[in-house]
Structures are given as structure tokens and as C-alpha cells.
Amino acid sequence: MSEAIAASGAPALLRVENLSVRFRTDRGMVRAVDGVSLHVHAGETLAIVGESGSGKSVTALSLLRLIGDNGEIEQGRILFDGVDLGRLSGAEMRKVRGNRIAMIFQEPMSSLNPVLTIGKQVAEPLVLHQGLSWQAARKRAVELLARVSIPDPVDRLDSYPHHFSGGMRQRVMIAMALACDPKLIIADEPTTALDVTVQAQILALLKALTRETGAAQILITHDLGVVARYADRVAVMYGGRVIESASARELYANPKHPYTQGLMASVPSLDSDPGRPLQTIPGQPPDLANLPPGCAFAPRCAYARDLCRQGKPPLESIGPQHERACYGYE
Amino acid sequence: MSESAVAQAATAAADPAAGDPLLQVDDLKVHFPVTEGLLKRQVGTIKAVDGVSFKLARGETFSLVGESGCGKSTTALAVLRMQTVTAGRILFEGVDVTHHSAARMRPIRRRMQMVYQDPFGSLNPRMKVSAIIGEPLVIHGLAGDREAHRARIRELMALVGLLPDMADRYPHEFSGGQRQRIGIARSLALDPSLLVCDEPVSALDVSIQAQVVNLMMDLQRRLGLTYLFIAHDLSVVRHISNRVAVMYLGRIVEIADRDVLFNAPKHPYTEALLAAVPVANPEIEANRAQQIIKGEVPSVRNPPSGCHFHPRCVHAMPRCRVESPALRPRDDGRLIACHLYD
Ligand SMILES: Nc1ncnc2c1ncn2[C@@H]1O[C@H](COP(=O)(O)OP(=O)(O)O)[C@@H](O)[C@H]1O
Ligand SMILES: Nc1ncnc2c1ncn2[C@@H]1O[C@H](COP(=O)(O)OP(=O)(O)O)[C@@H](O)[C@H]1O
Ligand SMILES: [Mg+2]
Ligand SMILES: [Mg+2]
């Protein structure tokens, strides 16, 4: 799918260029995102994978300017549907948020108001953003809840979030995301807190909805199985940088960054050889407040040379739709 | 045959090392009262574990899998006698420990230890690593003289791959993977034969998870340990286990050797569970039939009648609604609780 979209030459729906984000913390300045470039086409699912602390969520949040008071976008351009989001005023940005770009988080409870009914929460944005009457908005809310397969949607309008299971809350979040027909859905570990059968339901639902509406999806996850099942393309992050990106098939068949190779080899899979020692990546993930001067992976990399400890390798094309940030070991 | 006699016949048939299991659990039940109001009037019962039977052969890894709330942790705690047992029997090293007093449990507890999911939560933040690892020895009066105690701590640290100079540091100075090593070293201090591991790698990043999985498998070989292993990541379970039991709402629905279970799941719930797990290979995923199970696990407070799984089961028959299937042995050595196979 991604090949077809890229080959059509259509401009990307979202293009992020050289984005850097830093935070003021009591341990000093922390650069959580360091020169990230990405793009997503309409109808495509881009997965961002990486271990915890690699900068996945901050990347997503900074697209929507949601990084909080101690954070700062140092540089970079975010082009969405032809508009440079960096030039938008706060009010204009609020219109993009939840309207053209919707975000779904790991813990839906933190995005839902516990003292308001589900019906009110799904209907309210329709009244505020789309000018619907409350009556029309409630009717639309029922349609949306049905669309995300919530049983008895009419009855559920008057329920409160705590009456719902984790999976059902996540469906509500998706219904709210869909309410405004977004062009891009960003789902940040949407199923990490859910059981595997519910995860399968939610991710299949998201995939089906993006397929129906032609919206693009950025799916943030640390699960390489989820990536393999649902993503068209993948960006792998490490230490705040994208270190490799390719179509999902290409990345799994042909990982080219030593970190990606190590990651692929270290997950047991339902089709791998059980009982044998797993391959491991020696050492620990980097501390962003204390990054080495060169490639963040160099201290754990079997191929690291002096060059790798001095400069940060840029993300460069190494094949059709395949990019890697590595000085090379071949 | 009574229900428990059936359960017993079932475990006997699935016994991989006939005769002398390290642990035997017969028809275990752990029920919790549901109370209401100030007077704590009982209004219902949560049958968290409802008639579970299995045996662990010495040196094997036996895993419990199933979705959250199905009773894995409660089973584990009951085995360790850290949870009151409502009914059933627990035999450890041939001794019925079901009704042992705390005092009689003490020497036995040394032989069965727990490894927790959250190493940080289970470690005292104000204790040095050496004190954390050595504490069980002190509690059980086995610390010996100072030099011997320190030597044993050094030995335990080396065993799990911690460097000697880490002994004087505090837990917060360690990463998640290293904290899990500290937790494992502590659980090994008393030289146990059984380690009950409740989600020991679930909180770790994949590259670190691989290190801890390898360590656990290596320790098992070197020390002859038996593991009762709980994890929700089925890929990890497949990698580490000899046999696997699948639980649903407090009951075991299938027990089989690792390869038998993963290559050809038979219980409709096992099938659905395995189908839901994505494989880290896009080629395989693209060609996989994606039959996604409908609905969610019902409340354990009010489970469906008959076979608990029947409302979600694509093969459900009228009988399934009324009659709870017993866990019975099949030709290939596995046990299944399903009317389809009766
Ligand atoms: N509001 C914040 N203040 C300070 N540091 C932050 C903040 N948000 C994120 N960080 C830091 O940025 C880094 C990347 O975080 P994040 O993007 O959340 O990682 P991921 O989503 O990949 O797990 C982490 O080291 C985190 O501690
Ligand atoms: N102390 C308790 N009191 C009441 N209910 C409990 C208690 N411990 C566990 N439960 C309930 O028993 C069921 C099984 O829980 P648990 O064994 O923790 O499941 P798992 O480990 O498989 O996720 C759950 O519904 C849980 O809420
Ligand atoms: Mg995150
Ligand atoms: Mg548990």
C-alpha cells in the first residue's frame, strides 16, 4: 500500500522536517526529540517504534503543540495538508487539534471527564466545532458509538466513563476522534493497557476506519508484532532520533541499522525458535539528559568506530524508501 | 465420578513426569466475598480461582496465561500460601501444605519464592542492594557470620550478572532490568526449588526483556529450578515454557506441551487468544486469516452459565450454556475443557 501511495507521487499529508524539542528539567536541559523528520501519506499507517523514553510521545505531542510549559520546539517545520503548523496562532492551532488531527492516548480515562456522561462528551465537540444543535449532536453521537461497535449505543449515552471497560473507553475515544472527520489520527500506544484480544479489536477498528475515510494514521507502539500486523511504513526511534525508516516489509526483511537488527533479534516471536537464548542488545537504553556526543547507540553497538563516537550520523537514503542514520559497518 | 475425582484423573494423565511432581494443585478454589454497605453484607462471590488443577515436574517451566482478571496471580499467591484457599489441595515436595500454620509454612517458604513484575515496587528504596539481597537470609536466621554472609551476597550478585561494586548502591540508581536482577538474586538467596514468577518481564523494554529471559533460563539450567511462570506476552511464554495452561474466568480451559498448544490450539478460547497475538513478521501477518474474537471477557462477579466461554464461542452448542465442561485428557496428551471434544 505505501509503495503504491509513494509511487503515485502525491505530496505527503504530513511532513515533519528536522524537528527538535527540549525540556527544562531539574537535571538540566533534556533534548527529547533531536532532528526528527517524518512523513505520512493519506490512507497510510505509519508506525513509530522505539523503547520507552526514545521520544515517540514527545514527537507526536509537539505536532499538536501540546508539550507543556517546560518544553520548547527548538527548530523544525511541520507541514500538514499544505499548511505550516508552526505559523498558526494558538486559536488556529486549537481548530486543527481534534478537528483535522485527532489524538488517541494510552489511557482513555485521562482524556475522559469522569463526571460527565459519555453522550455529553461525544456530543459536545459536535456542538462546539460543528454548530450542531444538542439534539442533532446526540443523534450523531449514537451513530458514532455504533460505528465503533459499542453495543446498545442509545442506552450507553447516559453512562459514565467508569461504567465502561478499558476497551470500551478506547472505543469512545475513537468515536470522539472520528466525530470531526480528521485527516490524521495519531494513536499513542492505544492498546498498551488492554488485553490482547481487545487490542486486536481496537487496532482492527482503527485500521478499518482509516481505510474507509482515507485518513492517515500514526501508530505509536513498542510492540513489533503490532507494527508487523498494522503498519504500512515504520520509523524506528532511538535516543530522540529516527534511526531507520522503511516500509514494514522491507524493515523486517532487511533491517539495516544495528539497533533495529538487535531489536528484531531480541523479541521472541510466535514463529521463532523457542528455548534457545534470545539475542540481546548489551547495555542500557540511553539517558537523554546525559547523551554521548556521537551516535546515541554507539555505546551498545558492536560496530562502533571512533567516527560514531564523534558525530551524529544523519538519516540518509540507502534504497527505495529506506533510510538509515548510521555511518555504516558493511 | 465426583468433580474432584475427574480433576484428579485429568491431572494424572497430563503428568509429564509421573510420580514425583514438585508441586501439585488439586481442584483449587479461591473465592472472595462481594460485600455492600457499612455492615459489609455479602451480596455475591467472586470465584477468582474456581477448580484449578495442575502439576509441575521438577525442573520444568509451567506457564499460566489468559487475560487480566482470569485468576493467574490469585493462583500463584494461593500456591505460595499468601492467599487463603477456599477449597482444594496444594502439595509441595509431596507435603500437603494447604492448611499449614504460618509456623509450619516457614521452612517450606524458603523452598518456594516469588519474583514480582515491578522490581522497584517490591524493593525497599532505603536499603542498599546488598541488604536487599541478603535480607531473606537474615529473616530466616541463615545469615551466618559476617564474612560468610557477604560472600553469599557476592555469590548471588554474580549469579544474576550484577557487578560486586553495585552492592552499596540503592535501587533507584538502577535501571528496570538491573532491578529485576536484584529481585531475582533476592528470591534465590534461600536456595528455593520453586520460583513463582508473576509477570517478571512485562514492565521491561524488549531489549532488556531478552536479557532477563535469558538469565532466567540460564539460572534454571544451572540451579535446577522449577518455574511457575505468568506472563501476558504469549511470545515470551512460548519461548520459556515446557507446558502451558490457558485460563478463562477462574478455570483452566486447556493444558498442553508448549509446541502442541502453540502449533495446534484446540480449545476455541486458546485459538482466539493465539489468533489475536500479532507475529513480528509482516509477510506472515499479511497471509494470516484475521478472525477476531468478538466481545470482552465478562465480569467474574457474574460469569456466564455452563462453559464460561460460550457467549463468545463460535462453536457454542445448547449444551454449553448449561453444562460446565470438565478438563479431560485427550489422545495427544493435552487436557481440554470443551464439549466439542467430548
Ligand atoms: N514534560 C516533560 N518534561 C520533561 N521531560 C520530558 C517531558 N516529557 C517527556 N520528557 C522526556 O523526554 C523523553 C522522551 O519521552 P517520550 O517521548 O515520552 O518517550 P516515549 O514516548 O518514546 O516513551 C523522556 O526521557 C522523558 O523523560
Ligand atoms: N483480594 C481480593 N478481593 C477481591 N477480589 C479479588 C482479590 N484478589 C483478586 N480478586 C479478583 O479476582 C479476579 C482474579 O484476579 P487475578 O488473580 O489478579 O487475575 P490475573 O492475575 O489473571 O489478572 C479478578 O476479578 C480480581 O479482581
Ligand atoms: Mg510514550
Ligand atoms: Mg496478575
Side-chain angles (χ1 to χ4, degrees), chain A residues 56-57 188-189 220:
Chain A
K56 305 181 295 295
S57 295
D188 189 354
E189 310 250 11
I220 297 177

Side-chain angles (χ1 to χ4, degrees), chain B residues 67-74 117 198-199 230:
Chain B
E67 295 174 274
S68 49
C70 70
K72 305 180 297 293
S73 296
T74 306
Q117 166 172 359
D198 194 353
E199 307 266 7
I230 296 173

Side-chain angles (χ1 to χ4, degrees), chain A residues 242-296:
Chain A
V242 173
I243 53 96
E244 184 161 9
S245 94
S247 75
R249 281 182 184 226
E250 167 73 3
L251 190 83
Y252 284 73
N254 223 351
K256 287 292 192 192
H257 192 287
Y259 172 66
T260 316
Q261 293 169 351
L263 197 64
M264 297 278 178
S266 64
V267 271
S269 162
L270 283 185
D271 68 333
S272 66
D273 194 6
R276 292 217 271 138
L278 295 167
Q279 211 162 308
T280 61
I281 303 175
Q284 308 291 333
D287 173 2
L288 289 184
N290 209 349
L291 277 181
C295 170

